[in-house]
Amino acid sequence: GGFWWPSSPLINMIDSRPQFVAQAVSNKDPASPVFDVDLGYQRRVGLIFFANLRATSLGVMRVRAGLSSTFSTTTYDSGIVSCWPQDSVQGDYTPWDEWTLNGVYSSAEYVRLGLPRFFIPPAVIKCRYIRVEIKDLCAKEAVQIGCFGACEVWEPPIDFAFDWSITPMDESDVQNVPGGSTYIVGHETRRRLNLGFGVLDEAEVLNKAAGLAFIH
């Protein structure tokens, strides 16, 4: 769907290399920044998300999902919503006690979070096709999406086990010279979160938990 630059066509979106992007012809034409996703076959989806969604706070979008490629019927329809998530009422005060015109996140907070946008259906849906429509009349440049995903969700029958632990991991390069100095090239420190489940039924492990463990 939509209208895309010939040098940056929509097909580039299935290329995992980030330098091969897709770019819509116009932000102002609501028929232009539109794309459809075919998941290949019917799947169970509980979360549709965007990361690094670079649109303005006045932009609007709509996400639909269903089993029909024409979207004549849908199993999920977000309606027309703001591109930025909302955390307060329009024309009221935010949780930070700041007055807001449209109720969306503040720019500083949204940027620090990585410009995310999540759509969670009231219940897990069955769908094969997803359509994304974005209209941002105030954007000076084409809307950019760092990552888009449609995910199945899983809730374990029992809660996470206790005794979580966080292990700092210093990835600095340390080289020791025998009888000499120690040379250190500083790198960032990561934190590893260790957690686990209690005893799970074998069928539950094979159907869900094992697959998730292999993915991560």
Side-chain angles (χ1 to χ4, degrees):
F3 305 104
W4 306 81
W5 288 109
S7 59
S8 300
L10 184 61
I11 195 173
N12 283 352
M13 295 191 69
I14 63 175
D15 195 317
S16 60
R17 291 171 291 180
Q19 65 269 30
F20 287 87
V21 300
Q23 181 174 330
V25 173
S26 171
N27 290 332
K28 296 178 173 58
D29 182 359
S32 184
V34 176
F35 65 88
D36 294 347
V37 178
D38 184 352
L39 301 178
Y41 55 90
Q42 177 179 305
R43 297 176 183 264
R44 291 168 52 85
V45 173
L47 169 67
I48 300 172
F49 75 91
F50 299 81
N52 202 8
L53 176 58
R54 294 184 173 270
T56 70
S57 60
L58 298 178
V60 295
M61 63 187 304
R62 183 182 185 186
V63 177
R64 287 180 284 175
L67 299 173
S68 170
S69 60
T70 63
F71 297 92
S72 55
T73 59
T74 59
T75 53
Y76 175 75
D77 187 346
S78 69
I80 299 176
V81 297
S82 61
C83 288
W84 289 22
Q86 291 184 310
D87 63 349
S88 56
V89 180
Q90 298 179 7
D92 204 345
Y93 287 89
T94 68
W96 306 106
D97 201 28
E98 298 175 344
W99 189 85
T100 174
L101 175 64
N102 48 17
V104 302
Y105 280 31
S106 68
S107 57
E109 180 182 12
Y110 192 42
V111 169
R112 287 179 178 272
L113 290 173
L115 306 175
R117 192 67 165 97
F118 295 91
F119 294 88
I120 304 176
V124 175
I125 62 173
K126 295 180 180 180
C127 70
R128 172 175 174 175
Y129 303 98
I130 300 175
R131 173 167 292 176
V132 177
E133 303 167 86
I134 300 175
K135 182 177 181 180
D136 194 352
L137 300 179
C138 297
K140 296 181 180 179
E141 300 178 353
V143 173
Q144 301 177 45
I145 301 173
C147 180
F148 167 81
C151 309
E152 184 178 359
V153 296
W154 172 60
E155 182 177 355
I158 58 177
D159 201 356
F160 284 103
F162 292 102
D163 297 327
W164 292 14
S165 64
I166 298 178
T167 305
M169 301 177 61
D170 188 352
E171 297 183 340
S172 298
D173 183 14
V174 180
Q175 297 186 10
N176 296 314
V177 179
S181 302
T182 300
Y183 295 90
I184 300 176
V185 179
H187 295 292
E188 293 184 356
T189 299
R190 295 188 297 118
R191 292 178 297 174
R192 173 185 291 166
L193 175 62
N194 300 302
L195 50 87
F197 295 102
V199 179
L200 292 178
D201 180 79
E202 181 179 2
E204 185 76 16
V205 173
L206 296 177
N207 288 336
K208 296 294 181 183
L212 291 174
F214 290 144
I215 291 174
H216 294 288

